[in-house]
């Protein structure tokens, strides 16, 4: 690749995993609909959705991100809404929802493997993701993309401090790192603040906790593309 643009110093490209490389958030939305049906005798679907979100946020410091914490939050929320009267069968059904989520096939997004194959020729690629280590490793293995990545970084949060540690670990300057992801809050804005590069690839649905206001993105410099293959064009533009 002939690089004579703002990305010419990039040595390492970090990719978010869920909803950047493969479908993820869609399965959480489907699970929320299922649990709302199970708990319909106790509350409205809207109220159940609100209470589940509050429970997830409350439990993040305990369980972190991922399906396991989500399932535990669903169980706790079910017990709370029902005043501990929810049946064992319903709890078992909630656990089954979580197992089904974990066992979902990995559905790659448009052009992912082709893009990684090209970029891996010129850059060191790493996976930088939040969530449960076992689950993320399982999804990476199922995806068939493992060979393109130098290594996988599963972090508890994606804040400026976390990325600073990562850059130190990689022994590179912020100007030599590019992050690619679907979440402005987790994948883009922290890197922009560190003077690294970031490319936003929006996914059609975003968890409320990952959404940001317009004021938070004002005067922030980053690229937005419609799909992963467009990154190659961005990197090679002169």
């Amino acid at each position: 690749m002939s690089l004579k643009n703002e990305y010419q110093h990039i040595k390492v490209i970090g990719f978010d995993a869920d909803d950047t490389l493969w479908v993820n958030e869609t399965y959480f939305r489907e699970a929320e609909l299922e649990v709302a049906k199970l708990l319909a005798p106790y509350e409205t679907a809207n109220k159940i959705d609100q209470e589940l979100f509050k429970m997830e946020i409350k439990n993040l410091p305990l369980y972190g991100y991922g399906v396991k914490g989500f399932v535990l939050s669903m169980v706790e929320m079910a017990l709370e809404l029902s005043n501990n009267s929810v049946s064992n069968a319903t709890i078992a059904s909630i656990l089954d929802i979580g197992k089904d989520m974990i066992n979902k096939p990995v559905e790659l997004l448009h052009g992912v493997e082709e893009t990684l194959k090209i970029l891996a020729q010129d850059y060191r690629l790493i996976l930088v993701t939040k969530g449960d280590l076992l689950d993320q490793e399982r999804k990476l293995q199922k995806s068939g993309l493992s060979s393109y990545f130098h290594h996988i970084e599963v972090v508890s949060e994606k804040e400026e401090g976390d990325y600073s540690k990562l850059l130190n670990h990689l022994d590179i300057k912020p100007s030599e790192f590019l992050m690619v992801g679907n979440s402005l809050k987790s994948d883009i804005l922290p890197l922009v603040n560190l003077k690294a590069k970031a490319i936003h690839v929006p996914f059609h649905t975003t968890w409320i906790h990952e959404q940001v206001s317009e004021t938070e993105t004002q005067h922030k410099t980053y690229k937005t593309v419609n799909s992963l293959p467009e990154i190659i064009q961005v990197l090679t533009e002169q």
Side-chain angles (χ1 to χ4, degrees):
M1 287 186 189
S2 175
L3 299 174
K4 295 181 181 178
N5 62 14
E6 61 181 301
Y7 300 95
Q8 62 183 306
H9 300 299
I10 298 300
K11 294 181 178 178
V12 180
I13 303 178
F15 286 87
D16 172 53
D18 296 333
D19 303 316
T20 296
L21 301 180
W22 50 67
V23 174
N24 178 66
E25 193 61 26
T26 304
Y27 302 140
F28 282 81
R29 297 290 82 79
E30 291 171 353
E32 287 166 358
L33 292 174
E34 288 184 55
V35 80
K37 290 177 185 175
L38 286 173
L39 301 179
Y42 305 105
E43 264 299 350
T44 64
N46 188 51
K47 177 69 172 175
I48 291 167
D49 196 43
Q50 291 174 358
E51 292 303 313
L52 177 55
F53 177 68
K54 285 197 288 187
M55 191 66 72
E56 287 180 84
I57 298 304
K58 187 186 87 170
N59 285 335
L60 272 180
L62 283 174
Y63 306 137
Y65 297 88
V67 175
K68 292 174 186 175
F70 179 63
V71 172
L72 289 169
S73 292
M74 284 196 291
V75 170
E76 188 175 350
M77 184 265 300
L79 290 167
E80 202 170 87
L81 282 184
S82 68
N83 291 318
N84 294 318
S85 66
V86 67
S87 70
N88 290 338
T90 298
I91 296 296
S93 294
I94 292 173
L95 295 176
D96 284 339
I97 290 171
K99 289 175 184 175
D100 286 344
M101 291 175 73
I102 289 171
N103 289 320
K104 290 277 189 190
V106 173
E107 181 185 344
L108 295 182
L109 295 173
H110 169 67
V112 166
E113 183 163 12
E114 297 86 341
T115 303
L116 294 178
K117 189 174 185 178
I118 291 169
L119 294 177
Q121 296 172 26
D122 295 283
Y123 304 95
R124 182 161 38 136
L125 308 184
I126 64 171
L127 199 65
V128 187
T129 180
K130 292 186 294 192
D132 177 76
L133 177 60
L134 182 62
D135 191 33
Q136 293 293 357
E137 288 181 335
R138 185 188 293 115
K139 283 192 280 192
L140 182 58
Q141 184 177 17
K142 281 184 181 179
S143 73
L145 302 175
S146 300
S147 62
Y148 300 112
F149 292 103
H150 184 267
H151 70 276
I152 175 174
E153 289 276 342
V154 179
V155 294
S156 56
E157 282 291 353
K158 284 181 170 178
E159 296 175 349
E160 287 179 44
D162 302 290
Y163 283 113
S164 290
K165 288 178 186 175
L166 174 60
L167 294 177
N168 288 335
H169 176 65
L170 295 170
D171 195 26
I172 59 171
K173 302 170 187 173
S175 59
E176 297 170 327
F177 183 71
L178 167 66
M179 184 67 191
V180 177
N182 71 293
S183 170
L184 287 169
K185 180 180 178 180
S186 294
D187 304 317
I188 307 302
L189 298 182
L191 279 306
V192 172
N193 293 337
L194 288 173
K195 310 299 184 192
K197 299 296 182 184
I199 297 180
H200 182 218
V201 191
F203 189 64
H204 63 79
T205 182
T206 304
W207 187 32
I208 300 171
H209 185 59
E210 292 292 330
Q211 294 175 8
V212 298
S213 65
E214 281 188 30
T215 55
E216 291 177 86
T217 60
Q218 283 180 346
H219 313 299
K220 302 292 185 182
T221 305
Y222 59 89
K223 290 272 189 188
T224 299
V225 297
N226 293 314
S227 63
L228 223 59
E230 290 182 38
I231 292 169
I232 295 166
Q233 183 181 349
V234 170
L235 290 173
T236 54
E237 282 175 350
Q238 295 188 21

